[in-house]
Amino acid sequence: MTAAVGRNASGTGTTGLTIETQGLTKRFGHQVAVDGVNLAVPHGSVFGFLGPNGSGKTTTIRMMLGLAAASSGTVSVLGLDMPNRLHEVLPRVGALVEGPAFYPFLSGAANLHRLDAASRNARPATRRTRVGEALERVGLSHAAGKRVHAYSLGMKQRLGIANALLSPRELLVLDEPTNGLDPQGTREVRNLVRSLAADGATVFVSSHLLAEVEQICTHAAIMSTGRLVAQGPLAELRQAGEARIRLLTPDAGTAFGVLARLGMTPVAGSPETDGAVVTATLGTGAGPDALAGNGSVAPEEIVARLVEGGVRVRGFSVERESLEDRFVALTGEGFDVAQ
Amino acid sequence: MPSSVPGELPNRFPQSGSGARSRGVSTSVPARDRAASSIPLLGSELSVLFRRRRTWAMLLALAAIPVLIAVAVRLSSSVPSGRGPAFLDRISQNGLFVAVTAMLVSVPLFLPLTIGVVAGDTIAGEASLGTLRYLLVAPAGRVRLLLVKYAGALVFCVAAPVTVALAGAAIGASLFPIGPVTLLSGDVVQPPEAAVRLVLIAAYLAVSLAGLSAIGLFLSTLTVVPVGAMAATVVLSVVSQVLDQLPQLEWLHPWLFSHYWLGFGDLLRQPVLWDSFGSNALLQAGYVAVFGALAYGRFVTKDVLS
């Protein structure tokens, strides 16, 4: 009991994780929407939760917030068990889940009043001030009295974020926060997320926009068809990808021979006007300095050997997988919604 | 696959998060005030209910019933005694009977219809708007939300018959003379006492609709399509009344929630007979208990996916 109180006070478990799931699984009939997910969201991180549409991101978030019950597995948020300690956890969590939703016949401010009144913990005396501040923070003060019916998608999105900010929060769960926002709005949300993180809050951002995640997140996890396929600090995720060489030459045949002798597996790329393209993997998991070791060959060594072997090198580069390549490699390509 | 190591947290984020937390404490309500904390939610619920145009349209439609009756009676030369709804032939002598007649007329369909709309909308309406997930994440608490929703529906159960009674009394007073009222027992009471009887009838109807509201609340937890819950609630009220008409099902009649709906005649006797009021209240309480429990059982375990 003492331990539980201590964890409560510190806001996180002894593990320093704000959100932790273990073997989290959700079945809808025969379909497994979320399959044995072990999320670990460190305290104070800006955590990007990536995955194609239908990969189970929102279902995971619903279980984290106690909206849906897990078929098996456990969720702990702010060091407390969900959904058992829901009443202690949720007042400290601001959330935007699966898009904003409001009463269209009420004004923006009235909607926030309504949702704030729903909270058992929100102090009525400060409600007006807090609603005003939240609207101010998302730039909606001028439209506070307008009915939500007349709001654009981007304005509704901002109002949804304002709702998450009605009280100071230790954790913000933002599901697709920039959906429907114009470029300025997207920028503002990025700045907002940064300032929230600077205040000490943990921000959990789900998105299918990689660029967005790359810009604001310190950590990320990637979901694919209900499974968590990667997670960790963003820098590590980026580096986990393979480095490849890309060679532009008119002497593709000779180059194949040279590269094969170096223990590499050359692959013909799509030819360009001034020669053929040959690519080959440099070896996995290696940072820039480690390229020479690890059984792989240093790029400069490769070029030397190619020239020695009489290959005319017109272009040579070492390419690292972008987060996007990594994302696609992990989740599969194509526009099909995950099954 | 890289795994997250807590030790590798970026150092620029303060581990304590003291800023957010200390402010968080100052905005939360002390534990002793929690009991009273449902009042703002109920207030908010009622303000949402009565800020909807639909609610006012329904109340206006209910108010139109006595107006139509009164105008029709006023325009016709005479009402043949014993035809049409009970009390209709007494309107031209005493305007207060407009209210009684209108309440009687609205019981079988109009009142259940409006209650069906309000009660069927309680949970399903929030679910279809998507606001249910935000109310629950606020966190409203599922039991608390269910209770507040039911309380909101009950307030409408009071507002609906009161609207009919008020509109009836008003139009009756403006088109017909108001005078001493002869009760069903033959006693004559003065207009103030008659007004009390009108209030009693409205209260009787409000109680009558409590069971139907609980049924609507339960149906509303089953779906995210509010119209479905509304229609099902109204259909059930019609079915119950039809079953109540079948002599073959006499054993069932005392258990039908609509059984005592028209039994408010006892309130128009001197002294007032409370038997049907009591039986009705008991029956409605039973329905509230059963369907309230069903709604609770369904709603606290429900996955909110809308």
Side-chain angles (χ1 to χ4, degrees):
Chain A
M1 193 61 215
T2 330
V5 171
R7 282 154 68 113
N8 186 8
S10 76
T12 55
T14 46
T15 50
L17 298 176
T18 297
I19 303 172
E20 187 178 15
T21 73
Q22 273 170 355
L24 190 63
T25 301
K26 181 70 185 178
R27 275 181 225 98
F28 294 109
H30 291 295
Q31 204 200 340
V32 183
V34 175
D35 190 359
V37 165
N38 299 315
L39 260 183
V41 179
H43 179 66
S45 61
V46 178
F47 196 96
F49 194 39
L50 289 162
N53 295 330
S55 57
K57 297 191 302 285
T58 299
T59 307
T60 306
I61 290 177
R62 283 180 189 283
M63 287 189 281
M64 271 162 38
L65 296 174
L67 289 173
S71 304
S72 65
T74 59
V75 186
S76 117
V77 178
L78 297 168
L80 300 172
D81 232 28
M82 284 292 278
N84 296 334
R85 310 282 291 273
L86 183 141
H87 290 294
E88 293 158 72
V89 172
L90 288 184
R92 297 150 68 193
V93 178
L96 177 70
V97 195
E98 211 180 13
F102 294 103
Y103 306 90
F105 48 89
L106 294 183
S107 72
N111 266 292
L112 293 190
H113 275 272
R114 159 85 169 154
L115 291 173
D116 195 62
S119 168
R120 219 186 277 262
N121 299 54
R123 199 178 269 280
T126 58
R127 184 164 296 144
R128 187 170 294 277
T129 324
R130 287 182 292 112
V131 166
E133 281 170 3
L135 286 168
E136 177 86 50
R137 202 156 180 190
V138 298
L140 269 184
S141 298
H142 64 284
K146 229 186 195 178
R147 283 176 190 221
V148 169
H149 178 68
Y151 275 29
S152 68
L153 175 60
M155 289 165 81
K156 284 183 195 156
Q157 191 75 18
R158 283 162 189 254
L159 192 60
I161 295 173
N163 173 46
L165 301 176
L166 275 176
S167 298
R169 314 283 196 186
E170 290 162 57
L171 168 66
L172 284 141
V173 177
L174 303 174
D175 192 3
E176 307 280 0
T178 57
N179 195 19
L181 290 182
D182 48 26
Q184 293 100 308
T186 311
R187 227 177 125 90
E188 284 166 30
V189 167
R190 279 204 296 269
N191 291 335
L192 193 64
V193 167
R194 286 199 192 100
S195 78
L196 291 167
D199 283 350
T202 305
V203 188
F204 185 88
V205 186
S206 113
S207 182
H208 61 267
L209 300 175
L210 290 150
E212 184 176 297
V213 168
E214 283 199 276
Q215 286 189 55
I216 58 175
C217 294
T218 59
H219 293 67
I222 300 177
M223 290 279 287
S224 175
T225 58
R227 268 190 280 269
L228 194 65
V229 289
Q231 75 172 324
L234 202 63
E236 265 183 38
L237 278 179
R238 272 212 203 96
Q239 283 179 12
E242 298 172 327
R244 296 186 304 177
I245 59 146
R246 184 175 181 280
L247 171 68
L248 186 64
T249 175
D251 311 315
T254 327
F256 263 73
V258 172
L259 291 174
R261 277 198 299 281
L262 284 168
M264 304 171 81
T265 322
V267 180
S270 47
E272 290 183 10
T273 46
D274 42 354
V277 173
V278 178
T279 61
T281 306
L282 255 181
T284 53
D289 297 331
L291 283 171
N294 222 3
S296 65
V297 192
E300 60 273 19
E301 185 70 12
I302 297 171
V303 180
R305 295 286 183 85
L306 285 169
V307 175
E308 266 171 41
V311 177
R312 285 169 289 170
V313 178
R314 287 191 175 152
F316 185 88
S317 56
V318 179
E319 292 175 347
R320 194 162 293 285
E321 268 186 318
S322 67
L323 192 60
E324 187 172 340
D325 294 331
R326 178 108 176 100
F327 180 79
V328 170
L330 287 167
T331 60
E333 245 169 310
F335 286 104
D336 287 345
V337 170
Q339 292 299 302
Chain B
M1 185 182 310
S3 65
S4 143
V5 182
E8 289 176 5
L9 286 179
N11 287 329
R12 62 199 169 92
F13 299 115
Q15 292 287 311
S16 64
S18 56
R21 194 146 310 115
S22 59
R23 272 178 283 131
V25 169
S26 72
T27 51
S28 60
V29 173
R32 65 173 187 282
D33 294 345
R34 297 257 167 99
S37 69
S38 290
I39 305 296
L41 181 55
L42 181 58
S44 158
E45 176 63 30
L46 293 178
S47 103
V48 168
L49 178 62
F50 286 99
R51 264 198 259 182
R52 291 195 87 147
R53 242 179 258 162
R54 183 179 75 195
T55 307
W56 287 104
M58 290 194 300
L59 291 177
L60 275 179
L62 285 174
I65 294 168
V67 173
L68 282 177
I69 292 172
V71 169
V73 170
R74 189 83 177 87
L75 293 181
S76 59
S77 47
S78 69
V79 177
S81 180
R83 288 182 56 193
F87 311 112
L88 189 67
D89 50 350
R90 295 164 76 171
I91 287 175
S92 53
Q93 290 117 52
N94 195 330
L96 285 177
F97 277 101
V98 175
V100 182
T101 312
M103 282 196 271
L104 187 71
V105 166
S106 56
V107 164
L109 184 63
F110 297 112
L111 284 175
L113 196 67
T114 55
I115 300 306
V117 169
V118 171
D121 193 50
T122 46
I123 301 295
E126 300 280 358
S128 78
L129 281 177
T131 42
L132 182 59
R133 61 176 181 267
Y134 286 109
L135 289 173
L136 292 181
V137 165
R142 296 195 178 207
V143 179
R144 179 165 163 261
L145 183 63
L146 203 60
L147 287 174
V148 165
K149 281 287 177 187
Y150 186 64
L154 283 186
V155 169
F156 187 83
C157 287
V158 174
V162 164
T163 303
V164 178
L166 281 180
I171 190 78
S174 55
L175 293 185
F176 304 102
I178 295 286
V181 173
T182 310
L183 297 175
L184 293 180
S185 54
D187 300 87
V188 176
V189 296
Q190 294 305 305
E193 167 69 15
V196 171
R197 300 302 172 103
L198 283 184
V199 171
L200 282 181
I201 295 174
Y204 185 94
L205 294 183
V207 170
S208 298
L209 296 167
L212 183 62
S213 295
I215 293 171
L217 182 75
F218 168 59
L219 293 174
S220 194
T221 61
L222 299 180
T223 174
V224 295
V225 185
V227 176
M230 295 173 191
T233 309
V234 175
V235 165
L236 275 182
S237 84
V238 172
V239 167
S240 173
Q241 292 178 80
V242 169
L243 293 180
D244 207 18
Q245 299 296 315
L246 299 177
Q248 290 84 351
L249 296 175
E250 204 159 343
W251 54 271
L252 182 67
H253 292 173
W255 301 99
L256 293 169
F257 60 87
S258 63
H259 185 63
Y260 298 100
W261 277 7
L262 292 168
F264 56 79
D266 287 354
L267 300 174
L268 295 177
R269 295 179 203 281
Q270 188 76 310
V272 172
L273 280 178
W274 292 99
D275 296 11
S276 59
F277 196 104
S279 312
N280 186 29
L282 197 64
L283 179 69
Q284 299 301 330
Y287 269 91
V288 171
V290 170
F291 283 91
L294 286 174
Y296 168 83
R298 166 71 184 158
F299 190 55
V300 292
T301 57
K302 179 182 175 156
D303 279 351
V304 176
L305 302 173
S306 56

Tab-separated table of all heavy atoms in Angstrom, chain A residues 125-163:
chain	number	residue	atom	x	y	z
A	125	ALA	N	-15.132	26.865	-9.463
A	125	ALA	CA	-14.837	28.288	-9.264
A	125	ALA	C	-13.868	28.818	-10.313
A	125	ALA	O	-13.949	29.981	-10.717
A	125	ALA	CB	-14.275	28.503	-7.867
A	126	THR	N	-12.950	27.978	-10.765
A	126	THR	CA	-11.952	28.441	-11.725
A	126	THR	C	-12.309	28.056	-13.159
A	126	THR	O	-11.519	28.251	-14.082
A	126	THR	CB	-10.573	27.838	-11.393
A	126	THR	OG1	-10.694	26.410	-11.412
A	126	THR	CG2	-10.081	28.285	-10.041
A	127	ARG	N	-13.512	27.490	-13.342
A	127	ARG	CA	-13.866	26.942	-14.655
A	127	ARG	C	-13.805	27.988	-15.763
A	127	ARG	O	-13.187	27.782	-16.805
A	127	ARG	CB	-15.250	26.314	-14.589
A	127	ARG	CG	-15.669	25.639	-15.888
A	127	ARG	CD	-16.842	24.719	-15.650
A	127	ARG	NE	-16.471	23.638	-14.761
A	127	ARG	CZ	-17.283	23.100	-13.849
A	127	ARG	NH1	-18.504	23.538	-13.734
A	127	ARG	NH2	-16.867	22.131	-13.084
A	128	ARG	N	-14.424	29.124	-15.499
A	128	ARG	CA	-14.487	30.163	-16.530
A	128	ARG	C	-13.080	30.584	-16.965
A	128	ARG	O	-12.775	30.693	-18.148
A	128	ARG	CB	-15.271	31.358	-15.989
A	128	ARG	CG	-15.559	32.441	-17.006
A	128	ARG	CD	-16.527	33.446	-16.429
A	128	ARG	NE	-17.833	32.857	-16.179
A	128	ARG	CZ	-18.776	32.720	-17.124
A	128	ARG	NH1	-18.531	33.135	-18.346
A	128	ARG	NH2	-19.937	32.185	-16.852
A	129	THR	N	-12.219	30.792	-15.979
A	129	THR	CA	-10.844	31.202	-16.267
A	129	THR	C	-10.127	30.122	-17.063
A	129	THR	O	-9.442	30.418	-18.045
A	129	THR	CB	-10.079	31.413	-14.939
A	129	THR	OG1	-10.985	31.951	-13.991
A	129	THR	CG2	-8.893	32.316	-15.121
A	130	ARG	N	-10.265	28.882	-16.609
A	130	ARG	CA	-9.526	27.809	-17.272
A	130	ARG	C	-10.009	27.603	-18.699
A	130	ARG	O	-9.214	27.359	-19.608
A	130	ARG	CB	-9.636	26.516	-16.454
A	130	ARG	CG	-8.781	26.584	-15.176
A	130	ARG	CD	-8.821	25.314	-14.363
A	130	ARG	NE	-10.130	25.076	-13.770
A	130	ARG	CZ	-10.937	24.093	-14.121
A	130	ARG	NH1	-10.561	23.230	-15.037
A	130	ARG	NH2	-12.104	23.948	-13.556
A	131	VAL	N	-11.333	27.716	-18.909
A	131	VAL	CA	-11.863	27.578	-20.271
A	131	VAL	C	-11.294	28.694	-21.149
A	131	VAL	O	-10.839	28.454	-22.277
A	131	VAL	CB	-13.412	27.608	-20.258
A	131	VAL	CG1	-13.959	27.822	-21.659
A	131	VAL	CG2	-13.958	26.316	-19.672
A	132	GLY	N	-11.282	29.914	-20.599
A	132	GLY	CA	-10.750	31.046	-21.355
A	132	GLY	C	-9.292	30.847	-21.713
A	132	GLY	O	-8.877	31.102	-22.849
A	133	GLU	N	-8.522	30.364	-20.749
A	133	GLU	CA	-7.091	30.154	-21.000
A	133	GLU	C	-6.846	29.073	-22.041
A	133	GLU	O	-5.977	29.204	-22.908
A	133	GLU	CB	-6.385	29.782	-19.685
A	133	GLU	CG	-6.117	30.986	-18.796
A	133	GLU	CD	-5.651	30.578	-17.407
A	133	GLU	OE1	-5.494	29.362	-17.167
A	133	GLU	OE2	-5.462	31.483	-16.584
A	134	ALA	N	-7.636	27.997	-21.938
A	134	ALA	CA	-7.467	26.893	-22.891
A	134	ALA	C	-7.795	27.360	-24.307
A	134	ALA	O	-7.079	27.041	-25.265
A	134	ALA	CB	-8.345	25.708	-22.492
A	135	LEU	N	-8.867	28.161	-24.434
A	135	LEU	CA	-9.244	28.669	-25.753
A	135	LEU	C	-8.162	29.605	-26.290
A	135	LEU	O	-7.816	29.577	-27.469
A	135	LEU	CB	-10.586	29.391	-25.674
A	135	LEU	CG	-11.802	28.488	-25.520
A	135	LEU	CD1	-13.036	29.299	-25.157
A	135	LEU	CD2	-12.056	27.702	-26.804
A	136	GLU	N	-7.636	30.417	-25.385
A	136	GLU	CA	-6.563	31.338	-25.745
A	136	GLU	C	-5.345	30.572	-26.265
A	136	GLU	O	-4.741	30.917	-27.272
A	136	GLU	CB	-6.188	32.140	-24.487
A	136	GLU	CG	-5.039	33.103	-24.658
A	136	GLU	CD	-5.531	34.430	-25.195
A	136	GLU	OE1	-6.495	34.956	-24.629
A	136	GLU	OE2	-4.948	34.907	-26.185
A	137	ARG	N	-5.033	29.497	-25.576
A	137	ARG	CA	-3.829	28.735	-25.886
A	137	ARG	C	-3.880	28.104	-27.279
A	137	ARG	O	-2.854	27.918	-27.918
A	137	ARG	CB	-3.626	27.652	-24.826
A	137	ARG	CG	-2.212	27.186	-24.758
A	137	ARG	CD	-1.856	26.597	-23.429
A	137	ARG	NE	-0.467	26.175	-23.465
A	137	ARG	CZ	0.116	25.458	-22.538
A	137	ARG	NH1	-0.563	25.065	-21.491
A	137	ARG	NH2	1.385	25.116	-22.648
A	138	VAL	N	-5.088	27.758	-27.733
A	138	VAL	CA	-5.198	27.167	-29.069
A	138	VAL	C	-5.666	28.193	-30.103
A	138	VAL	O	-5.967	27.842	-31.239
A	138	VAL	CB	-6.151	25.958	-29.084
A	138	VAL	CG1	-5.626	24.856	-28.186
A	138	VAL	CG2	-7.554	26.365	-28.662
A	139	GLY	N	-5.735	29.457	-29.691
A	139	GLY	CA	-6.073	30.516	-30.633
A	139	GLY	C	-7.523	30.532	-31.055
A	139	GLY	O	-7.844	30.847	-32.201
A	140	LEU	N	-8.427	30.189	-30.137
A	140	LEU	CA	-9.846	30.140	-30.499
A	140	LEU	C	-10.678	31.184	-29.761
A	140	LEU	O	-11.899	31.156	-29.835
A	140	LEU	CB	-10.421	28.752	-30.199
A	140	LEU	CG	-10.376	27.717	-31.309
A	140	LEU	CD1	-11.074	26.453	-30.858
A	140	LEU	CD2	-11.015	28.215	-32.594
A	141	SER	N	-10.017	32.106	-29.053
A	141	SER	CA	-10.766	33.058	-28.226
A	141	SER	C	-11.821	33.801	-29.031
A	141	SER	O	-12.938	34.018	-28.560
A	141	SER	CB	-9.804	34.062	-27.602
A	141	SER	OG	-8.893	33.395	-26.773
A	142	HIS	N	-11.477	34.164	-30.257
A	142	HIS	CA	-12.411	34.965	-31.057
A	142	HIS	C	-13.647	34.165	-31.447
A	142	HIS	O	-14.686	34.738	-31.757
A	142	HIS	CB	-11.701	35.477	-32.313
A	142	HIS	CG	-11.288	34.356	-33.227
A	142	HIS	ND1	-10.204	33.538	-32.968
A	142	HIS	CD2	-11.843	33.899	-34.369
A	142	HIS	CE1	-10.108	32.635	-33.934
A	142	HIS	NE2	-11.072	32.839	-34.795
A	143	ALA	N	-13.559	32.830	-31.460
A	143	ALA	CA	-14.694	32.009	-31.880
A	143	ALA	C	-15.350	31.305	-30.704
A	143	ALA	O	-16.150	30.390	-30.887
A	143	ALA	CB	-14.231	30.977	-32.911
A	144	ALA	N	-15.028	31.751	-29.482
A	144	ALA	CA	-15.518	31.057	-28.284
A	144	ALA	C	-17.040	31.025	-28.222
A	144	ALA	O	-17.632	30.046	-27.783
A	144	ALA	CB	-14.955	31.724	-27.033
A	145	GLY	N	-17.686	32.104	-28.686
A	145	GLY	CA	-19.133	32.189	-28.565
A	145	GLY	C	-19.883	31.622	-29.755
A	145	GLY	O	-21.110	31.585	-29.770
A	146	LYS	N	-19.129	31.192	-30.748
A	146	LYS	CA	-19.743	30.655	-31.959
A	146	LYS	C	-20.168	29.210	-31.737
A	146	LYS	O	-19.473	28.468	-31.041
A	146	LYS	CB	-18.671	30.678	-33.059
A	146	LYS	CG	-19.077	31.277	-34.359
A	146	LYS	CD	-17.929	31.047	-35.322
A	146	LYS	CE	-18.001	31.878	-36.554
A	146	LYS	NZ	-16.835	31.622	-37.407
A	147	ARG	N	-21.274	28.816	-32.346
A	147	ARG	CA	-21.665	27.418	-32.236
A	147	ARG	C	-20.682	26.531	-32.973
A	147	ARG	O	-20.212	26.881	-34.055
A	147	ARG	CB	-23.045	27.216	-32.845
A	147	ARG	CG	-24.126	27.706	-31.934
A	147	ARG	CD	-25.469	27.588	-32.598
A	147	ARG	NE	-26.437	28.287	-31.768
A	147	ARG	CZ	-27.653	27.826	-31.515
A	147	ARG	NH1	-28.058	26.712	-32.050
A	147	ARG	NH2	-28.460	28.494	-30.739
A	148	VAL	N	-20.402	25.370	-32.388
A	148	VAL	CA	-19.437	24.442	-32.978
A	148	VAL	C	-19.896	23.985	-34.359
A	148	VAL	O	-19.092	23.674	-35.236
A	148	VAL	CB	-19.209	23.241	-32.029
A	148	VAL	CG1	-18.435	22.135	-32.709
A	148	VAL	CG2	-18.481	23.713	-30.785
A	149	HIS	N	-21.218	23.972	-34.542
A	149	HIS	CA	-21.819	23.692	-35.837
A	149	HIS	C	-21.137	24.493	-36.956
A	149	HIS	O	-20.952	23.999	-38.061
A	149	HIS	CB	-23.294	24.078	-35.734
A	149	HIS	CG	-24.057	23.895	-36.991
A	149	HIS	ND1	-24.303	22.656	-37.510
A	149	HIS	CD2	-24.605	24.792	-37.838
A	149	HIS	CE1	-24.984	22.799	-38.628
A	149	HIS	NE2	-25.189	24.074	-38.851
A	150	ALA	N	-20.756	25.744	-36.642
A	150	ALA	CA	-20.175	26.630	-37.652
A	150	ALA	C	-18.647	26.542	-37.692
A	150	ALA	O	-18.019	27.274	-38.447
A	150	ALA	CB	-20.609	28.065	-37.384
A	151	TYR	N	-18.055	25.668	-36.887
A	151	TYR	CA	-16.594	25.543	-36.865
A	151	TYR	C	-16.098	24.742	-38.069
A	151	TYR	O	-16.765	23.819	-38.522
A	151	TYR	CB	-16.151	24.797	-35.598
A	151	TYR	CG	-15.994	25.651	-34.356
A	151	TYR	CD1	-16.747	26.792	-34.173
A	151	TYR	CD2	-15.098	25.295	-33.364
A	151	TYR	CE1	-16.618	27.558	-33.027
A	151	TYR	CE2	-14.955	26.045	-32.208
A	151	TYR	CZ	-15.721	27.178	-32.050
A	151	TYR	OH	-15.592	27.920	-30.921
A	152	SER	N	-14.911	25.080	-38.525
A	152	SER	CA	-14.265	24.243	-39.530
A	152	SER	C	-13.615	23.056	-38.823
A	152	SER	O	-13.505	23.039	-37.597
A	152	SER	CB	-13.197	25.040	-40.258
A	152	SER	OG	-12.143	25.330	-39.369
A	153	LEU	N	-13.184	22.064	-39.614
A	153	LEU	CA	-12.544	20.890	-39.017
A	153	LEU	C	-11.335	21.288	-38.175
A	153	LEU	O	-11.140	20.791	-37.065
A	153	LEU	CB	-12.115	19.912	-40.124
A	153	LEU	CG	-11.326	18.683	-39.658
A	153	LEU	CD1	-12.137	17.861	-38.671
A	153	LEU	CD2	-10.910	17.831	-40.835
A	154	GLY	N	-10.551	22.228	-38.716
A	154	GLY	CA	-9.366	22.657	-37.990
A	154	GLY	C	-9.714	23.338	-36.670
A	154	GLY	O	-9.035	23.141	-35.665
A	155	MET	N	-10.813	24.111	-36.674
A	155	MET	CA	-11.231	24.771	-35.434
A	155	MET	C	-11.704	23.752	-34.415
A	155	MET	O	-11.432	23.866	-33.214
A	155	MET	CB	-12.333	25.794	-35.733
A	155	MET	CG	-11.846	27.030	-36.477
A	155	MET	SD	-13.216	27.959	-37.172
A	155	MET	CE	-13.770	28.871	-35.739
A	156	LYS	N	-12.419	22.730	-34.893
A	156	LYS	CA	-12.868	21.666	-33.984
A	156	LYS	C	-11.662	20.952	-33.393
A	156	LYS	O	-11.638	20.615	-32.210
A	156	LYS	CB	-13.745	20.657	-34.726
A	156	LYS	CG	-15.132	21.147	-35.001
A	156	LYS	CD	-15.955	20.060	-35.672
A	156	LYS	CE	-17.206	20.641	-36.280
A	156	LYS	NZ	-17.719	19.829	-37.369
A	157	GLN	N	-10.663	20.735	-34.241
A	157	GLN	CA	-9.449	20.072	-33.778
A	157	GLN	C	-8.780	20.895	-32.676
A	157	GLN	O	-8.354	20.367	-31.650
A	157	GLN	CB	-8.512	19.888	-34.972
A	157	GLN	CG	-7.330	18.992	-34.718
A	157	GLN	CD	-7.710	17.527	-34.693
A	157	GLN	OE1	-8.762	17.142	-35.175
A	157	GLN	NE2	-6.854	16.707	-34.117
A	158	ARG	N	-8.729	22.200	-32.897
A	158	ARG	CA	-8.147	23.082	-31.877
A	158	ARG	C	-8.965	23.030	-30.594
A	158	ARG	O	-8.413	23.001	-29.495
A	158	ARG	CB	-8.119	24.528	-32.385
A	158	ARG	CG	-7.021	24.805	-33.383
A	158	ARG	CD	-7.328	26.077	-34.144
A	158	ARG	NE	-6.412	26.283	-35.244
A	158	ARG	CZ	-5.440	27.175	-35.250
A	158	ARG	NH1	-5.269	27.957	-34.211
A	158	ARG	NH2	-4.648	27.298	-36.291
A	159	LEU	N	-10.283	23.015	-30.757
A	159	LEU	CA	-11.144	22.961	-29.571
A	159	LEU	C	-10.914	21.652	-28.814
A	159	LEU	O	-10.907	21.625	-27.578
A	159	LEU	CB	-12.612	23.086	-29.993
A	159	LEU	CG	-13.627	23.328	-28.877
A	159	LEU	CD1	-13.332	24.600	-28.124
A	159	LEU	CD2	-15.044	23.360	-29.433
A	160	GLY	N	-10.704	20.587	-29.587
A	160	GLY	CA	-10.414	19.295	-28.958
A	160	GLY	C	-9.135	19.357	-28.145
A	160	GLY	O	-9.056	18.809	-27.039
A	161	ILE	N	-8.144	20.035	-28.669
A	161	ILE	CA	-6.877	20.174	-27.942
A	161	ILE	C	-7.091	21.067	-26.716
A	161	ILE	O	-6.579	20.785	-25.635
A	161	ILE	CB	-5.785	20.728	-28.875
A	161	ILE	CG1	-5.500	19.714	-29.988
A	161	ILE	CG2	-4.508	21.025	-28.096
A	161	ILE	CD1	-4.577	20.202	-31.064
A	162	ALA	N	-7.907	22.122	-26.884
A	162	ALA	CA	-8.213	22.986	-25.738
A	162	ALA	C	-8.849	22.179	-24.615
A	162	ALA	O	-8.543	22.366	-23.434
A	162	ALA	CB	-9.147	24.113	-26.171
A	163	ASN	N	-9.725	21.241	-24.977
A	163	ASN	CA	-10.369	20.393	-23.974
A	163	ASN	C	-9.330	19.575	-23.201
A	163	ASN	O	-9.434	19.413	-21.989
A	163	ASN	CB	-11.373	19.468	-24.661
A	163	ASN	CG	-11.959	18.452	-23.707
A	163	ASN	OD1	-12.352	18.793	-22.600
A	163	ASN	ND2	-11.981	17.205	-24.115
